[in-house]
């Protein structure tokens, strides 16, 4: 007993986490290695830190929605461990494997291991563990797409999807006009907002009069780049005209698309051009039909499904893994407590 106590005390005073336990516990009989536990705990810790109000203060002196940070990380780690096992089993049962895109991404990440190895190693997380947790995350995505795909058991009807997405999102087409000069070495950039705003207003007038978008954009961008002393190339127009989907209700802290802009967008007349100042760019934009035709819907179907039903999918999984019996090795959670995580 004295030797055991000495080992535990020794580990508790070190900066990094050791390997006193081979396994942290079991989830419904599935052993959870110490490395896997630490990897998922590190993810929970990172996720929790992003939710804190004060980045400078010690996270363990703060709370997340009334829950002490340490307790929040422990609870979230337990949830991630349960979810990991659930996804692992469901993918095995349904023969879900990584698609080509995810396999390629995973192969790319192997090349970055040397850059992050020290940070993870300090926290008891090895290469194999990192790859396993990343693979499980990607399999979660593959499982979601299978279950909500066109032939999936939870797939909504196309009519239902279109209606719900159109009620929540708008599609806009826009031209981006920068208004800051490129900062010279040792100097600050100069704002040409007034000059560029005048260009944008002229573009809106021409576009609402029915003039061609490509021609108006080219002329407007030439004037803009001349005003901010930047080089205009043939690619400038193509790179500056694009489209995106914007949710009618966004986050309060969103400075690029504040709620006032989103609310106006919801009531905006289709194909009418207007101006939005994003703080460092001016958008000359118009609202398009959410889906112009069947082909345009098919192009973004997976994005639509992700936007509308990912939360429901997460709740579906939680309904399964919440019932998994869980057993921790005596003292393991204290030994692997989040206070021992090393960030630098």
């Amino acid at each position: 007993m004295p030797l055991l106590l000495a080992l535990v005390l020794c580990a508790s005073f070190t900066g990094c986490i050791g390997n006193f336990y081979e396994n942290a516990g079991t989830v419904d009989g599935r052993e959870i290695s110490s490395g896997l536990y630490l990897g998922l705990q590190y993810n929970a810790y990172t996720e929790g830190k992003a939710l804190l109000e004060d980045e400078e203060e010690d996270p363990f002196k703060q709370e997340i929605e009334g829950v002490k940070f340490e307790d929040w990380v422990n609870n979230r780690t337990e949830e991630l461990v349960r979810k990991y096992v659930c996804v692992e089993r469901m993918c095995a049962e349904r023969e879900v494997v990584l698609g080509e895109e995810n396999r390629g991404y995973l192969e790319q990440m192997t090349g970055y291991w040397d850059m992050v190895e020290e940070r993870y190693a300090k926290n008891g997380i090895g290469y194999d563990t990192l790859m396993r947790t990343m693979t499980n995350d990607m399999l979660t995505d593959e499982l979601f797409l299978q279950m909500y795909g066109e032939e999936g058991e939870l797939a909504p009807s196309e009519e239902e999807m279109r209606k719900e997405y159109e009620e929540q999102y708008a599609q806009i087409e826009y031209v981006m006009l920068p208004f800051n000069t490129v900062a010279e070495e040792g100097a600050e950039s100069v704002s040409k907002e007034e000059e560029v705003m005048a260009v944008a207003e002229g573009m809106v007038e021409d576009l609402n009069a029915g003039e061609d978008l490509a021609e108006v954009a080219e002329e407007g961008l030439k004037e803009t780049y001349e005003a901010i002393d930047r080089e205009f190339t043939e690619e400038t127009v193509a790179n500056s005209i694009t489209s995106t989907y914007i949710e009618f209700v966004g986050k309060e802290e969103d400075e690029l698309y504040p709620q006032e802009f989103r609310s106006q967008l919801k009531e905006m007349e289709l194909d009418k051009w207007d101006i939005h100042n994003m703080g460092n760019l001016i958008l000359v934009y118009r609202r398009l039909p959410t889906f112009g035709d069947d082909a345009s819907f098919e192009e973004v179907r997976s994005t639509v499904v992700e936007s509308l039903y990912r939360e429901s999918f997460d709740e579906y999984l939680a309904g399964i893994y919440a019932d998994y019996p869980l057993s921790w090795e005596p003292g393991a959670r204290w030994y692997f407590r989040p206070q021992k995580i090393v960030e630098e």
Side-chain angles (χ1 to χ4, degrees), residues 164-176:
E164 190 168 351
Y165 199 77
E166 288 170 349
E167 289 173 351
Q168 297 184 40
Y169 291 83
Q171 181 182 190
I172 67 169
E173 182 175 38
Y174 59 89
V175 184
M176 300 180 292

Side-chain angles (χ1 to χ4, degrees), residues 21 30 50 69 88 96 99 108 110 115 128 142 158 194 238 242 261 280 300 304 318 329 336-337:
Y21 288 87
R30 199 281 198 196
F69 182 74
E88 183 180 63
V96 175
Q108 284 183 332
T110 61
M115 299 170 60
D128 289 342
E142 301 281 3
E158 183 174 311
E194 290 187 9
T242 188
F261 168 74
N280 61 343
V300 296
V304 171
E329 292 292 331
F336 294 132
R337 59 196 180 280

Side-chain angles (χ1 to χ4, degrees), residues 130-147:
L130 181 62
M131 290 299 106
R132 282 203 302 271
T133 55
M134 288 182 61
T135 299
N136 190 269
D137 287 341
M138 293 177 187
L139 285 172
T140 304
D141 296 337
E142 301 281 3
L143 180 63
F144 169 75
L145 292 175
Q146 184 193 84
M147 298 183 71

Side-chain angles (χ1 to χ4, degrees), residues 15 57 64 69 98 103 113 193 304 334:
E57 186 180 358
I64 299 176
F69 182 74
L98 293 182
R103 289 198 305 272
W113 172 247
E193 183 177 349
V304 171
W334 177 85

